[in-house]
Amino acid sequence: MKKILNRYMLISLIFLGLACDNQLEIDPLYTQDAESFFNTQEDYERALVGAYDLLQTSYLTQWIGEIASDNAIAGGESVNDTRGLHEIESMTHGGVNEELRSVLRYNYAGITRTNYIFENRDKTDFEGKETILAEAHFLRAYYYFELVKFFGDVPLIIDRRIGIEEATSIDRDPAADVYAQIESDLQSAFEVLEWTNPQKGRVTKGAALALLGKAYLYQDKFTEAATVLDRVINEGPYSLQTFSTSEDYADLFSVAEEGNSESVFEIQYSGLEGGSYDCLVCLEGNAAVGFNGIRQYDGPVYNDGNSYNLPTQSLYDSYDANDIRRNGTVLDLDAFIAEQPNSQDISYAVGGGGHTGYYNNKYIKRDAELGLPDNDLTSPVNYRVIRLADVYLMAAEAHNRKAGANDATALNYLNQVRTRVNMPEVSVSGQALTQAIWNERRLELSGEGYRFWDLVRTGRAANQIDGFEEGKNELFPLPQVEIDLSGGTWKQNPNYN
């Protein structure tokens, strides 16, 4: 979705310092304001595009969800290069962390934009407005889901914007209330949305149901999760593909395979517009791809990048050698170079921020998928937010862990994910099946930004993540500057200074 909204109208970003500058530059100036907007269907469509726009900050979820876990290290040029990611890797992060502050600010900016639509929902009537509102419901739920999984209790602002005075005094709402709003928004969304949408990138009924199932799963509402995830599997237009090689599996994440039969929801990116390191939130390209790239690489297939988010030996070793997802997920660079006929001519550099020898092969810069210069910032590769394999594994877990467990269905779902990549079926039940499902989630979804929260929500983080402290690191700390801006109304999350 293109950033057309900011060029034509002023959206209030006043919420705990959300605006990038004291004043928002508008081009052309003063042509429209809030009072003269929402008079046509086009106005609502443009406002919705603006609400979609903050999805493009997904690089933070991809980075943090991997780097905070046992799947990856921060990497980069040095430990002072994006220091916040290195602190998250070592579990020494605190209230002064630019990446965590960006997570809070960007998601509240998205919420503000959806609330602006709902604030004006009754101003103009036209055919199709229900669909616009349904998409806005999904987007608000998505942004709140990001916030609640990072920070727990957060202020819950619904259907309105707030002024600076209220922003400095509003309190946090319990995570349970935030989840209740997420559920309500997603129910409003899936009741209206169709299973397919002719416009690429728009949310659908399947996306809303799948995200609702994930929200239920994160709350241990297993019966509810099983019900809605079954609908995605049984009623949706999706199907699992079959893969025979690691290259086939890696292609699942390529530009050529965008919108494939396993894709439930993708964040759209374009390589046709430039950007700068000064404003990653301004980008139209997927910043994660270039940042994950191989530093000063000179060779075939891949292209040079910034060597961030480097997979660990632990992740590589977790795969069976016969699992094609291992090489599809984790690039063993030295092994790849050794296989090339001109291996002696291929070179790369090691960053001072750490080196494992491995790279994220799902989201990595390739010669065939370069955007405009600077192509570290303009990757056209979409972020697969929800894939059908994820839905199968969430549904398997929900059926296995719900009251009156249905292990037969859970095992069927698990084995369908395995057999599509030529891995043998498993035959277990009860807690052994639970463990098998959790293990499969790592094998299937690593590199995509989910690992940390899977470990936290299942109570395994302290055993898997070095430096993780129970009673503390399940949540990330609130940015100290936001606590200060709240006038001290907000209290820091437990056990953070």
Side-chain angles (χ1 to χ4, degrees):
M1 306 293 288
K2 288 298 180 187
K3 284 187 181 161
I4 60 173
L5 188 65
N6 279 350
R7 299 179 60 83
Y8 296 99
M9 63 178 290
L10 175 61
I11 285 188
S12 171
L13 294 182
I14 299 175
F15 188 89
L16 304 180
L18 285 175
C20 295
D21 299 298
N22 290 333
Q23 294 184 3
L24 180 65
E25 293 295 328
I26 304 172
D27 180 17
L29 292 173
Y30 312 123
T31 55
Q32 285 189 305
D33 57 24
E35 286 67 36
S36 62
F37 207 69
F38 292 108
N39 292 322
T40 67
Q41 179 176 349
E42 182 185 8
D43 289 344
Y44 284 86
E45 290 281 2
R46 287 156 63 189
L48 183 64
V49 169
Y52 269 99
D53 193 57
L54 272 298
L55 292 175
Q56 301 203 22
T57 62
S58 71
Y59 64 90
L60 289 166
T61 290
Q62 294 178 58
W63 286 346
I64 296 172
E66 296 297 307
I67 292 168
S69 78
D70 53 348
N71 271 0
I73 68 169
E77 183 176 2
S78 73
V79 295
N80 294 316
D81 184 23
T82 318
R83 175 180 288 275
L85 293 179
H86 289 274
E87 293 171 348
I88 289 170
E89 174 198 333
S90 62
M91 291 285 127
T92 59
H93 50 278
V96 180
N97 186 295
E98 284 303 312
E99 283 66 43
L100 295 176
R101 189 186 184 203
S102 292
V103 169
L104 187 140
R105 297 172 73 218
Y106 296 163
N107 283 287
Y108 267 118
I111 290 165
T112 298
R113 295 184 182 191
T114 59
N115 281 341
Y116 192 44
I117 296 171
F118 289 116
E119 188 177 333
N120 292 275
R121 67 187 302 164
D122 298 324
K123 189 174 182 183
T124 305
D125 288 325
F126 55 88
E127 186 177 353
K129 188 171 73 171
E130 281 189 353
T131 300
I132 291 175
L133 295 176
E135 291 179 55
H137 277 297
F138 173 93
L139 293 172
R140 185 166 64 187
Y142 178 89
Y143 295 131
Y144 268 124
F145 183 66
E146 289 294 292
L147 288 169
V148 75
K149 74 180 187 182
F150 269 91
F151 304 112
D153 300 349
V154 292
L156 187 59
I157 314 299
I158 301 300
D159 293 354
R160 63 189 180 92
R161 296 160 295 157
I162 62 174
I164 190 64
E165 290 185 3
E166 186 177 0
T168 59
S169 62
I170 195 167
D171 205 350
R172 299 163 69 188
D173 289 275
D177 292 350
V178 179
Y179 271 115
Q181 181 60 45
I182 291 168
E183 294 171 14
S184 175
D185 272 332
L186 292 172
Q187 288 162 356
S188 296
F190 79 69
E191 288 172 355
V192 172
L193 295 172
E194 301 293 337
W195 285 106
T196 60
N197 192 312
Q199 186 170 0
K200 185 178 180 181
R202 297 280 194 171
V203 297
T204 61
K205 183 188 295 291
L209 284 168
L211 184 58
L212 179 58
K214 180 169 284 193
Y216 283 142
L217 198 66
Y218 274 56
Q219 301 173 80
D220 290 351
K221 294 182 176 180
F222 301 119
T223 299
E224 295 89 336
T227 298
V228 297
L229 293 168
D230 280 350
R231 289 194 61 186
V232 180
I233 294 169
N234 297 323
E235 300 175 30
Y238 316 107
S239 61
L240 292 172
Q241 299 185 26
T242 300
F243 308 98
S244 57
T245 68
S246 59
E247 290 79 12
D248 290 341
Y249 182 76
D251 280 346
L252 189 63
F253 301 88
S254 68
V255 172
E257 283 293 311
E258 289 174 359
N260 62 73
S261 67
E262 291 202 7
S263 179
V264 179
F265 180 60
E266 298 181 8
I267 294 175
Q268 304 294 308
Y269 289 98
S270 170
L272 300 179
E273 185 173 333
S276 76
Y277 288 88
D278 294 333
C279 187
L280 296 184
V281 69
C282 304
L283 300 179
E284 299 296 342
N286 188 345
V289 174
F291 275 76
N292 292 348
I294 308 164
R295 184 170 294 273
Q296 298 178 26
Y297 177 77
D298 185 7
V301 181
Y302 301 99
N303 205 279
D304 72 292
N306 295 322
S307 65
Y308 277 75
N309 193 17
L310 303 175
T312 60
Q313 188 72 48
S314 166
L315 173 58
Y316 187 83
D317 291 345
S318 68
Y319 288 91
D320 186 289
N322 295 319
D323 193 335
I324 62 174
R325 293 173 298 185
R326 183 186 69 178
N327 293 342
T329 299
V330 181
L331 169 65
D332 181 340
L333 183 57
D334 288 338
F336 169 80
I337 291 174
E339 294 171 351
Q340 307 309 308
N342 62 330
S343 59
Q344 70 280 359
D345 299 325
I346 301 172
S347 61
Y348 69 96
V350 174
H355 180 66
T356 64
Y358 301 116
Y359 294 81
N360 185 332
N361 207 31
K362 291 179 176 177
Y363 295 103
I364 190 171
K365 197 163 70 169
R366 291 178 166 85
D367 282 334
E369 297 176 332
L370 299 181
L372 294 175
D374 178 347
N375 54 39
D376 281 347
L377 305 176
T378 58
S379 171
V381 176
N382 286 354
Y383 176 39
R384 277 62 167 175
V385 180
I386 305 174
R387 296 193 292 116
L388 186 60
D390 185 10
V391 173
Y392 268 78
L393 293 175
M394 288 192 293
E397 181 178 342
H399 279 288
N400 167 249
R401 299 183 69 191
K402 70 180 183 179
N406 184 346
D407 280 357
T409 296
L411 193 62
N412 176 48
Y413 286 158
L414 169 63
N415 282 327
Q416 286 194 58
V417 173
R418 290 179 58 80
T419 57
R420 91 195 208 291
V421 290
N422 301 313
M423 292 302 292
E425 293 187 356
V426 297
S427 181
V428 291
S429 61
Q431 184 59 36
L433 178 55
T434 308
Q435 293 292 337
I437 294 166
W438 288 345
N439 182 61
E440 199 69 24
R441 288 190 62 80
R442 189 182 196 192
L443 302 177
E444 178 64 37
L445 300 168
S446 285
E448 301 177 47
Y450 311 125
R451 175 66 172 172
F452 175 78
W453 286 283
D454 271 352
L455 291 175
V456 167
R457 69 177 180 80
T458 57
R460 295 175 292 150
N463 292 328
Q464 298 294 128
I465 302 173
D466 289 342
F468 187 98
E469 296 182 28
E470 288 185 339
K472 175 181 179 181
N473 294 131
E474 290 85 357
L475 298 174
F476 288 96
L478 296 166
Q480 185 60 46
V481 66
E482 311 298 358
I483 294 175
D484 296 340
L485 288 169
S486 76
T489 301
W490 292 14
K491 303 302 179 186
Q492 183 57 276
N493 278 331
N495 297 314
Y496 287 101
N497 295 326

